[in-house]
Amino acid sequence: MNCKDFSDIADSYLSNELLVETNHDVLRHLELCRDCRELLGVRREIRERLRTSVKNVEESTIDPRFAYKIKAVLGNEAVRPRFAGLDLRFAAAGFAAVMLIIATIVFFVARMKNDGQQTANVNPNPTPSTKTLSPSSDIRPIPAVLIEAADDAIDDHKNCALKHNLAQKPISLEEAAKKVDVVNAGFDKVVIAALKDEFGEQARLIKAHYCLINGRYFTHVVLESKKRMVSVLMTKLKEDEAENNEALFCGERDGLRSACFASNGYALFVVSDGSEDDNLTIARIILNPVREHLTKGRIAI
Amino acid sequence: MFGFGKSDQKNNWSGFEEEALPHLNDLFRIARWMVRDREEAEDLVQETLSQALRSFHRYERGTNCRAWMTKIMYHVNGKRLRKLGRLKLVEDTEEMIAETVAFEPSIERNLTDEDVLSAVKRVPETFRQVVLLADVEEFSYKEIAEITQIPIGTVMSRLHRGRKLLRNELAAFARSYGLRSIGGAEAS
C-alpha cells in the first residue's frame, strides 16, 4: 500500500468499513508512514469537528414544544381504529363511495315517496331538523402521556371504588404525602371544595387514599356527585412538564367513561358511569384548583 | 380479520414509544438538513413518524430503528419534493465539480462551529447528504444505500468526493483567516 492508496481509503478505515485484510494493510502502512498517520489524525479531527458542529447548532435542535405535541398527536393516532393492511386513503375513498351510493338510493326513494305524498297531501309547514352535534363529538387529540394511564384509571375506579378489590392495601393521603409525594396532602379537599362550589350538597366526599393498580399508583378521591359515584384519579407522569390545560374525553370501557387532563407533570382522570359530558364538566371544574394545588406542591418540593 | 384489537394497538404504541420516539431529536436534525426551514422540518418529521407508526408492525425488532425511520423520512421527502416539483436529479456537473478537486488541504483548529457549518452548506446537496449520514449520523455505507435508495458503490463515490469537497471548503475558510493549512496536503 502506498500513500495515495491510503489517502483513498482513510475515511473508510475511520468508518470501520474496510475488509479485515485491507485493515491489516492500513495498519502496516501506518506503522511505517508518519505523513499518513498525520493525515489520518487530520481526517479524524475533521470528522469530530463536523459531528460536534452539526449537533451543537441550535437550528438542528428540536423545539421541546414540538416534541411534546408530536408525541401527543401520534399517541392519539395510535389508538384510533385502523384497518390492518389497508391504506387509509383507500379505506376512506371506499367509505365515501359507499356513502355516496347509499345517499343516492335514499334520495331517490325519498323523492319517489314524496312525489306520491305530494299528489295526495301537501304539507305547507315542514318541520326543520332540530338535530345538533354534541359538543363532545369534536375530535381532539389526547396527549400521548394520558393514553396509557387512561385504561388504568378506569380499572382503578372499577376495582377500587366499585368492587373494593385491590391487591395491595391503600394508604392515606397524609401518609402518601410524607412517604411519596407532597402533592397528596390536601388533594381531596381541593377537589371536593371545587365541586361543592359548583354543585353544593350534591357533591360529597366518600373516601380518599393512595392506591396501586396494574403497577401504577393513583391518588384516588372517590366522591358522590349528583347521586353518581365518581373517581378523581391522579398519577405522576414520566414527563415532568406535561400539561395540556384542557379537559378531554379520553376513553370508555365496560360502561365507564373517563375525562382527563395533564397538569404539572401529572395526569388527572375523572371516571364514572355518567355521560361523557358529565365527566368533562367535573374535569373542567377541578382543572384550575388542581393546577394551582400542583403548582404549590412543586414549589414546596 | 380486519383491524387491530385495542391491546394490539396499545402494544404497537408502546413498542413505538420505546424504540422509535427516542430518535426524535436525531430525525429532526437530519430533517433540518434536508429542507429549507424549521417549520418544513417539523412537518417532515411529523409525517415521517406518522407513517412509521402506521408501518411499525413491519419493523423488525432488534434492527436499526433509526436507520429504518431515516429511510422512511427520505421516502416521504422524495414524495413531497416530487409534489412540489422541487426534486432535483443528480446533475453531471456536480459530479464534475467534485472531480476537479485537486488537492487536499487540512483544516485549521481555530475554525468556529459557524465556519464548519458554512463549509458544509457550500457542499452540493447530493454529496452533503451522504457525508452527513455517514460522518455525523454514523450510518454504515449499507444503511445509507438503503436510506437514500442509491447503489452502495454510488454512496461510496459520493462520500469520497463529498468529504474531499468539504475539506476544501474548510481549507478555504482557514485561508480567509490568513492561516496556513496544517499537514496532510496531498495530490489527488
Side-chain angles (χ1 to χ4, degrees), chain A residues 7 17 43 49 62 77, chain B residues 25 38 50 104 111 141 186:
Chain A
S7 165
E17 293 275 0
R43 296 264 181 106
R49 279 305 309 276
I62 198 163
E77 251 179 53
Chain B
N25 290 355
R38 178 171 281 274
S50 181
E104 188 183 321
L111 288 179
Y141 295 177
E186 59 174 323

Side-chain angles (χ1 to χ4, degrees), chain A residues 53-276:
Chain A
S53 299
V54 170
K55 289 190 173 176
N56 284 346
V57 65
E58 202 195 326
E59 67 186 54
S60 298
T61 315
I62 198 163
D63 181 344
R65 284 168 302 181
F66 169 68
Y68 176 75
K69 185 194 117 190
I70 198 166
K71 284 177 192 169
V73 170
L74 290 168
N76 206 8
E77 251 179 53
V79 295
R80 248 186 245 153
R82 286 177 289 149
F83 293 96
L86 277 180
D87 187 313
L88 276 180
R89 283 168 305 170
F90 290 124
F95 179 71
V98 170
M99 291 307 286
L100 190 67
I101 291 166
I102 293 171
T104 313
I105 293 168
V106 168
F107 173 75
F108 280 110
V109 169
R111 201 171 143 181
M112 279 162 69
K113 267 190 183 175
N114 204 25
D115 286 349
Q117 276 175 5
Q118 266 179 4
T119 52
N121 175 29
V122 177
N123 178 6
N125 298 312
T127 316
S129 168
T130 53
K131 197 179 174 195
T132 55
L133 281 173
S134 145
S136 55
S137 63
D138 293 347
I139 298 166
R140 295 196 199 138
I142 307 164
V145 289
L146 299 177
I147 289 165
E148 257 191 41
D151 263 0
D152 296 334
I154 289 181
D155 276 345
D156 203 11
H157 177 71
K158 195 163 68 178
N159 291 302
C160 178
L162 302 177
K163 294 185 183 167
H164 312 288
N165 179 27
L166 287 180
Q168 188 177 306
K169 198 178 167 216
I171 58 171
S172 71
L173 293 188
E174 288 71 21
E175 200 180 342
K178 279 180 206 154
K179 288 183 180 168
V180 189
D181 190 339
V182 70
V183 299
N184 284 294
F187 178 74
D188 51 343
K189 293 180 183 68
V190 170
V191 170
I192 202 69
L195 291 173
K196 273 186 183 296
D197 275 352
E198 193 70 27
F199 300 131
E201 287 315 301
Q202 282 191 321
R204 181 175 69 87
L205 179 69
I206 298 174
K207 64 179 176 183
H209 57 226
Y210 188 74
C211 56
L212 174 71
I213 187 98
N214 304 342
R216 185 188 295 278
Y217 285 96
F218 280 103
T219 306
H220 189 178
V221 177
V222 185
L223 51 96
E224 191 184 296
S225 171
K226 295 181 171 177
K227 300 189 176 164
R228 200 182 287 283
M229 190 180 283
V230 177
S231 281
V232 174
L233 300 125
M234 174 173 77
T235 189
K236 181 101 179 76
L237 295 168
K238 284 176 200 159
E239 286 90 338
D240 273 341
E241 304 303 320
E243 181 123 27
N244 72 330
N245 293 325
E246 189 184 11
L248 300 167
F249 172 67
C250 65
E252 178 172 9
R253 187 158 47 83
D254 305 334
L256 299 169
R257 280 158 285 278
S258 72
C260 59
F261 61 89
S263 177
N264 285 279
Y266 293 81
L268 275 292
F269 300 90
V270 176
V271 184
S272 78
D273 61 355
S275 72
E276 211 178 292

Side-chain angles (χ1 to χ4, degrees), chain B:
Chain B
M1 290 294 284
F2 284 127
F4 287 123
K6 196 167 180 180
S7 65
D8 288 338
Q9 283 184 11
K10 202 171 169 183
N11 289 342
N12 194 55
W13 170 242
S14 57
F16 188 79
E17 234 184 348
E18 198 178 297
E19 296 225 24
L21 286 185
H23 303 299
L24 184 55
N25 290 355
D26 292 346
L27 270 190
F28 181 78
R29 183 175 57 246
I30 299 168
R32 199 65 187 82
W33 283 98
M34 290 166 78
V35 297
R36 292 173 183 181
D37 57 37
R38 178 171 281 274
E39 208 174 301
E40 253 186 280
E42 288 183 351
D43 287 346
L44 178 58
V45 168
Q46 181 158 347
E47 178 55 29
T48 301
L49 285 170
S50 181
Q51 207 155 111
L53 175 63
R54 288 201 293 273
S55 315
F56 196 61
H57 57 283
R58 289 196 210 121
Y59 165 69
E60 268 177 56
R61 296 286 169 102
T63 58
N64 187 342
C65 191
R66 198 167 67 104
W68 180 72
M69 288 201 298
T70 308
K71 184 178 173 180
I72 293 176
M73 188 152 78
Y74 266 75
H75 177 71
V76 170
N77 192 44
K79 263 169 64 178
R80 197 183 64 92
L81 292 177
R82 267 191 294 279
K83 216 171 171 183
L84 295 170
R86 273 200 238 152
L87 188 68
K88 204 175 63 169
L89 295 171
V90 180
E91 289 164 19
D92 287 347
T93 46
E94 281 183 357
E95 303 269 348
M96 282 165 66
I97 293 167
E99 290 287 15
T100 60
V101 177
F103 69 98
E104 188 183 321
S106 131
I107 63 158
E108 174 56 49
R109 281 155 214 261
N110 295 328
L111 288 179
T112 64
D113 282 350
E114 285 72 32
D115 294 334
V116 176
L117 292 170
S118 301
V120 173
K121 282 175 186 167
R122 289 163 80 135
V123 173
E125 197 186 339
T126 318
F127 301 103
R128 184 174 64 219
Q129 66 174 1
V130 285
V131 171
L132 290 171
L133 289 174
D135 295 349
V136 177
E137 305 303 334
E138 299 177 87
F139 287 119
S140 70
Y141 295 177
K142 187 167 170 271
E143 284 168 338
I144 297 171
E146 280 168 11
I147 288 167
T148 54
Q149 298 285 293
I150 51 177
I152 194 162
T154 313
V155 169
M156 286 160 73
S157 70
R158 283 189 192 172
L159 262 175
H160 185 71
R161 293 161 185 183
R163 283 164 173 156
K164 222 177 230 185
L165 280 168
L166 178 62
R167 286 194 291 271
N168 213 37
E169 291 295 345
L170 289 168
F173 269 96
R175 278 196 301 273
S176 72
Y177 285 124
L179 302 164
R180 70 178 181 89
S181 294
I182 49 162
E186 59 174 323
S188 177

